[in-house]
Amino acid sequence: MEPPKRVSLEFGLSLSNNAPPKRIKFITKHFLENTARSRHAAVRVMGDQSTTDPDEAFMGASMASPGSSVSLKRHQNGTVYSDLVEDSRAKRLKVDFGYEGTSPNAAKSQDRTKGVVPIKPEFLVLQVGRNQRAFADDDAAEASRHTDSRESNPRKRSKQKGQNVARDFGSSRDTLQLCSTRVTSPEFSPEPCRFGAECKFEHDIREYLCEGKRHDLQTFGGLCPVWDAVGVCNLGWKCRFVGSHSEERDTEDGRKELVLIEDGGRKEKAKERGEGGGDGGVINIVSTEKKSALMRKKIKTPKTDKYVSWLEQSTVELDRQLHNGNRRGKSESGNEDAAGDLSGKELRKDNRAQYSEPPFLPSEKRRVYFGPETPVLAPLTTQGNLPFRRLCVSLGAQLTYSEMAMGMPLIQGNKSEWALMKCHVSETLPPLFKGVSNIVADYGNSKDFKFGAQISANKPWLAMKATEYLTSMCSHLRVIDLNCGCPIDMVYRAGAGSALLENQAKLEKILRGMNAVSGETPITTKIRMGTKKDRPTALKLVERLALGGHEAQEIGEGSSGVAAITLHGRSRQQRYSKSADWTYIAECAALIKRFNESNDERTDTATEVDPRSKPASGEGRVYFLGNGDCYSHIDYYEHIRNAKVDTVMLARGALVKPWIFEEIQKNQYLDKSASERLAYIEQFARFGLEAWGSDEVGVGTTRKFLLEWMSFAHRYVPLGILEYLPPNIQDRPPAWKGRNDLETLLGSDNYKDWIKISEMFLGPAHKDFKFEPKHKSNSYELDAEG
């Protein structure tokens, strides 16, 4: 079936060729007039002023007054276009810098007010009683899903603090629920329902379409994004775009039957892209049967069971050998001189002789690579979902991680936790590799891919079981990363996350165990400077992980086997209140560099270890990544050059402006227009519908995660209105207006404006949908400000 012809407006929306006038009215009047009424009184529509800016002209024309409209023209080929055409990309601000370059505005940096975004005076807005806009706590990017139920006591609601506390998103469901036997069936030949007439769900497709679900969406040209991508929509009649892949056919007996349509051409193209098979290009899907088997404890972990048994026995042996009186200077006969006659090397040999060997050695690991050309998207809970990662990959992210998955729900077969392991086929492509530095032996870039998993665990057996399950059930995991930096109280009190920084011996055991059972998948870890702001411990921890702790050295075990260590330059106590300490990161990087350079010299016959116990590079190299406050390509390359890290992991910087990866790749600033930023929102919405479905529930889920992302994305202050460069992610802006109304709207910190932006691509929100920002500061009422 030939899909409806699409007509595109330059501001990122699409309409069908036969779109009714009321649909255009919805876009140009309903949405934008309501937006105009909800904007702060200080931001006025410049309807009576001429402008050459396409975004301003469009928004101004649409918002100026009720009944106003945009002038649309139809070309002879049928395409509708507007008089408002965006300027070329040459309009962008492009400032080139080399590794040694400095900003041309650096000379003015002394004029900057610390902590305040330097906005040009003509874009400042005077607000009474509100000088600076408030932002949500940045811990939201680390573990907003993992909250403590004790913090949601209704009696303490007025004192709520922290992440995601008792947030209510309402629901998005159809009025009538369609029986699963009818979802993808033709009207007159459905699958049999085992409940028959007693089934509580709707069986009449026409009744469901008329009364059970809301009308079809007309966004994306009225064409289902899932069907458009892969040629078939698995949600069938429940799809909010079902009109684009269904039709009414005449039957032999003269009746008209509703049937669903598939597109063979699209299916073939999807197959060529690796997106065929009905999964829309999603990889690492664990079957319901396997998750059910995990819940019933039917799947064994033989490697973990053997290793845990040995670990318990060896811990007792080590305690006896290394911490009794004999080890500290006395022989068994009590003669100190006799003990003194033994050299350190002989003592180590004696210890190894009494030490039980592990039941098996780790498998040789797949080679990985981290370099300046591989900027990394950090594991981001909630925001680091599949559609957002897919957007970042399309903009140049070379390495990605899943959201942090909790170990216990994983081994119990929890559906939502295993869903975090899903990745898109674009994340299974090889990362960029130029091979100019840090080259490892036998690294095969063509066999490498981008996506890795991150888990959290507080016990060696738990981390090992989760690792063994992950490597056996998910075929596309570049690495498995252990989270040792999460500052959230619930995770910390359970002894996971940053709590592991306080027990370095335990952390080393966990990583050794994970490395032993992970097969060919390398193990990495992400840490913080420590738990206390004035007591950094990461330097000792990095040394321990690279060289092995005292106990491991005594028995000849060597390095912990981690392939890479990522250091976030803040303590748990600091959270995000202070800037990241890149000086301390540089100290740790220097230690790792010395370890890598002296690896061969340090190894002798007495301490020789099996190559399989070494990190995921032939010569035992450990990669070191820095994390914290990277907000531009200038920051990125300065950290690599000055701190000597292998690459940089980006978190908030990517959430605020995902095109930071494009800036890094091109080594220049990109002043994205409001239309381009709106197109990224449209792209996220499309990816979200493909990932979570195009039915009512999927649209609601996509809207929720889009709004979560916009709680960060609205912080972006366009480069064109800044007085000085580079921007600083720790700075907070005063009230400002954009170069046009769309830019102002995208910078709004009112969540109601975010919902209205989501309606441009997902239609009006469901009557039961709710969105509560993580902090009240984001949900202020406009009329309360006078």
Side-chain angles (χ1 to χ4, degrees):
M1 175 185 176
E2 184 68 18
K5 291 183 178 179
R6 302 183 65 188
V7 293
S8 178
L9 300 178
E10 289 298 323
F11 50 91
L13 299 176
S14 298
L15 298 174
S16 62
N17 213 8
N18 55 355
K22 64 180 181 180
R23 182 60 193 152
I24 297 179
K25 184 178 180 180
F26 167 76
I27 292 177
T28 59
K29 180 182 175 184
H30 172 77
F31 165 74
L32 293 169
E33 284 181 11
N34 289 343
T35 303
R37 288 196 294 269
S38 71
R39 299 296 298 142
H40 190 275
V43 182
R44 300 297 184 189
V45 177
M46 310 299 288
D48 58 341
Q49 296 184 15
S50 60
T51 176
T52 58
D53 188 290
D55 299 324
E56 183 170 336
F58 170 73
M59 296 294 285
S62 302
M63 299 171 62
S65 62
S68 61
S69 62
V70 178
S71 174
L72 299 177
K73 298 180 180 180
R74 187 177 297 274
H75 194 270
Q76 60 183 5
N77 63 7
T79 302
V80 172
Y81 66 99
S82 170
D83 284 334
L84 313 171
V85 180
E86 175 136 356
D87 290 348
S88 68
R89 289 174 178 256
K91 170 185 171 183
R92 296 178 184 170
L93 172 66
K94 295 184 178 181
V95 186
D96 293 319
F97 295 99
Y99 274 28
E100 302 298 328
T102 57
S103 168
N105 296 301
K108 301 180 181 179
S109 60
Q110 65 270 22
D111 299 328
R112 296 178 64 160
T113 302
K114 186 177 181 180
V116 179
V117 176
I119 295 177
K120 295 176 181 177
E122 59 267 31
F123 295 102
L124 293 175
V125 174
L126 178 63
Q127 288 186 324
V128 179
R130 193 165 182 256
N131 296 325
Q132 230 179 56
R133 308 196 308 175
F135 292 132
D137 189 344
D138 284 322
D139 289 334
E142 294 223 32
S144 58
R145 291 188 312 120
H146 311 297
T147 58
D148 192 341
S149 59
R150 290 173 291 181
E151 295 176 357
S152 58
N153 189 333
R155 292 176 296 179
K156 299 181 180 180
R157 194 170 296 276
S158 60
K159 296 183 180 180
Q160 288 178 354
K161 295 181 180 180
Q163 303 309 310
N164 214 18
V165 179
R167 297 174 70 201
D168 180 15
F169 295 99
S171 64
S172 300
R173 295 189 178 276
D174 293 328
T175 305
L176 298 177
Q177 299 294 306
L178 186 65
C179 179
S180 60
T181 62
R182 268 47 175 185
V183 172
T184 57
S185 300
E187 183 181 10
F188 297 153
S189 52
E191 297 178 11
C193 176
R194 63 192 181 97
F195 296 103
E198 297 180 359
C199 182
K200 64 179 180 179
F201 298 111
E202 183 61 52
H203 282 199
D204 189 327
I205 293 177
R206 291 183 185 268
E207 178 70 15
Y208 168 75
L209 293 177
C210 292
E211 304 294 337
K213 66 190 291 280
R214 294 198 290 166
H215 61 80
D216 276 8
L217 293 173
Q218 296 302 315
T219 55
F220 302 105
L223 190 63
C224 172
V226 179
W227 188 86
D228 188 29
V230 298
V232 60
C233 178
N234 292 332
L235 288 165
W237 301 111
K238 296 173 68 174
C239 176
R240 291 292 309 279
F241 302 85
V242 68
S244 66
H245 51 78
S246 66
E247 66 179 10
E248 199 173 46
R249 290 177 180 172
D250 293 327
T251 61
E252 293 180 357
D253 58 1
R255 295 186 298 171
K256 292 186 179 295
E257 181 184 24
L258 290 172
V259 296
L260 296 169
I261 300 168
E262 296 183 4
D263 187 298
R266 282 182 167 83
K267 291 175 71 173
E268 195 61 35
K269 290 181 180 178
K271 188 175 180 180
E272 293 174 1
R273 297 194 306 268
E275 297 182 5
D279 298 323
V282 178
I283 311 293
N284 290 343
I285 298 177
V286 178
S287 67
T288 303
E289 292 75 17
K290 286 185 177 180
K291 286 180 280 191
S292 179
L294 286 174
M295 293 177 66
R296 300 194 307 270
K297 299 182 180 180
K298 297 294 185 181
I299 302 179
K300 305 301 182 183
T301 52
K303 288 184 178 180
T304 297
D305 296 341
K306 289 181 181 179
Y307 198 92
V308 168
S309 177
W310 167 81
L311 187 62
E312 292 173 351
Q313 178 186 351
S314 64
T315 300
V316 175
E317 292 177 354
L318 279 172
D319 185 62
R320 184 178 65 250
Q321 293 174 29
L322 302 181
H323 301 293
N324 59 16
N326 294 333
R327 177 67 186 86
R328 294 185 181 277
K330 292 186 178 181
S331 66
E332 292 183 0
S333 62
N335 188 341
E336 295 184 15
D337 294 333
D341 291 338
L342 295 174
S343 67
K345 188 174 293 186
E346 290 173 330
L347 282 172
R348 285 195 293 272
K349 285 183 178 180
D350 183 57
N351 287 331
R352 286 197 293 274
Q354 302 178 50
Y355 177 70
S356 299
E357 293 292 329
F360 53 86
L361 288 172
S363 300
E364 190 169 353
K365 304 303 178 186
R366 183 175 57 248
R367 304 293 187 255
V368 292
Y369 170 79
F370 296 87
E373 68 271 40
T374 61
V376 184
L377 177 64
L380 301 167
T381 301
T382 302
Q383 284 83 5
N385 48 68
L386 188 151
F388 182 75
R389 296 197 311 268
R390 187 178 172 187
L391 175 65
C392 290
V393 168
S394 71
L395 292 170
Q398 296 302 314
L399 303 173
T400 62
Y401 285 89
S402 72
E403 302 176 47
M404 183 181 74
M406 305 297 284
M408 187 61 74
L410 275 176
I411 69 173
Q412 293 174 340
N414 183 277
K415 179 181 177 181
S416 61
E417 219 69 19
W418 278 99
L420 301 179
M421 298 301 111
K422 294 179 181 178
C423 68
H424 188 258
V425 65
S426 62
E427 296 178 270
T428 65
L429 299 176
L432 186 64
F433 177 65
K434 296 181 179 178
V436 294
S437 63
N438 307 333
I439 304 174
V440 299
D442 302 325
Y443 170 67
N445 179 254
S446 62
K447 297 180 180 179
D448 199 2
F449 35 86
K450 296 180 172 72
F451 179 72
Q454 187 186 65
I455 65 172
S456 172
N458 60 356
K459 299 284 196 307
W461 69 265
L462 177 58
M464 283 186 277
K465 275 184 176 288
T467 299
E468 191 167 353
Y469 284 141
L470 282 170
T471 53
S472 64
M473 297 183 185
C474 299
S475 59
H476 288 79
L477 292 179
R478 184 179 199 257
V479 299
I480 297 178
D481 186 83
L482 179 67
N483 182 301
C484 302
C486 179
I488 301 304
D489 290 340
M490 188 202 75
V491 177
Y492 179 80
R493 284 197 295 263
S498 56
L500 292 172
L501 301 176
E502 298 176 337
N503 193 336
Q504 296 187 1
K506 178 182 177 181
L507 172 56
E508 185 183 359
K509 286 181 182 178
I510 291 176
L511 290 171
R512 285 185 184 279
M514 291 173 65
N515 194 52
V517 302
S518 67
E520 66 172 8
T521 305
I523 300 300
T524 63
T525 186
K526 185 172 186 282
I527 64 176
R528 281 182 178 246
M529 288 171 54
T531 55
K532 305 296 183 183
K533 63 179 181 180
D534 297 324
R535 235 180 296 167
T537 59
L539 198 61
K540 289 184 178 179
L541 177 58
V542 167
E543 181 179 6
R544 185 183 191 105
L545 297 181
L547 300 175
H550 171 66
E551 300 88 348
Q553 291 181 12
E554 288 296 323
I555 60 178
E557 278 200 330
S559 166
S560 65
V562 292
I565 301 170
T566 301
L567 175 60
H568 183 174
R570 294 182 178 88
S571 66
R572 175 186 182 265
Q573 189 177 23
Q574 285 176 311
R575 301 287 176 102
Y576 286 91
S577 60
K578 301 293 183 182
S579 297
D581 189 345
W582 277 91
T583 301
Y584 189 81
I585 293 176
E587 292 179 26
C588 296
L591 177 64
I592 288 290
K593 184 179 180 181
R594 290 196 298 271
F595 162 77
N596 289 331
E597 290 176 347
S598 61
N599 188 50
D600 293 335
E601 300 174 7
R602 187 179 60 254
T603 303
D604 57 30
T605 305
T607 59
E608 185 75 36
V609 296
D610 193 286
R612 290 175 292 179
S613 299
K614 293 182 178 181
S617 62
E619 58 282 335
R621 175 187 179 84
V622 177
Y623 286 102
F624 191 73
L625 290 71
N627 172 228
D629 297 349
C630 184
Y631 194 40
S632 68
H633 65 288
I634 297 297
D635 295 336
Y636 180 84
Y637 288 118
E638 281 186 352
H639 294 329
I640 290 177
R641 182 177 68 250
N642 298 331
K644 300 295 190 294
V645 293
D646 292 304
T647 188
V648 178
M649 181 178 282
L650 299 96
R652 291 180 302 160
L655 287 170
V656 175
K657 58 170 191 178
W659 61 92
I660 188 173
F661 297 105
E662 188 181 356
E663 290 187 339
I664 290 170
Q665 208 168 54
K666 296 181 177 179
N667 199 19
Q668 65 183 29
Y669 287 111
L670 297 176
D671 186 15
K672 297 287 185 177
S673 70
S675 290
E676 289 174 297
R677 292 165 58 200
L678 191 65
Y680 294 144
I681 295 175
E682 179 186 24
Q683 198 172 359
F684 179 95
R686 179 183 292 275
F687 292 161
L689 294 175
E690 291 181 27
W692 296 307
S694 53
D695 63 341
E696 191 69 72
V697 175
V699 171
T701 303
T702 300
R703 192 189 310 276
K704 182 186 80 169
F705 284 106
L706 173 58
L707 297 176
E708 295 278 18
W709 172 37
M710 293 194 66
S711 69
F712 282 88
H714 83 277
R715 302 184 187 188
Y716 176 70
V717 180
L719 292 178
I721 72 172
L722 296 179
E723 278 199 296
Y724 312 126
L725 295 174
N728 188 327
I729 199 169
Q730 291 294 92
D731 290 349
R732 295 294 181 255
W736 58 274
K737 63 180 179 181
R739 293 164 290 189
N740 53 65
D741 294 310
L742 179 56
E743 194 166 74
T744 302
L745 176 65
L746 291 173
S748 171
D749 58 353
N750 184 356
Y751 80 101
K752 293 181 179 180
D753 285 337
W754 309 343
I755 293 177
K756 288 169 183 172
I757 291 172
S758 76
E759 290 179 344
M760 298 175 72
F761 308 107
L762 302 174
H766 192 279
K767 62 182 179 62
D768 297 325
F769 177 82
K770 297 178 183 178
F771 180 75
E772 297 179 7
K774 292 182 177 67
H775 287 261
K776 297 290 185 181
S777 60
N778 277 335
S779 58
Y780 66 91
E781 296 295 334
L782 295 177
D783 52 6
E785 295 185 353

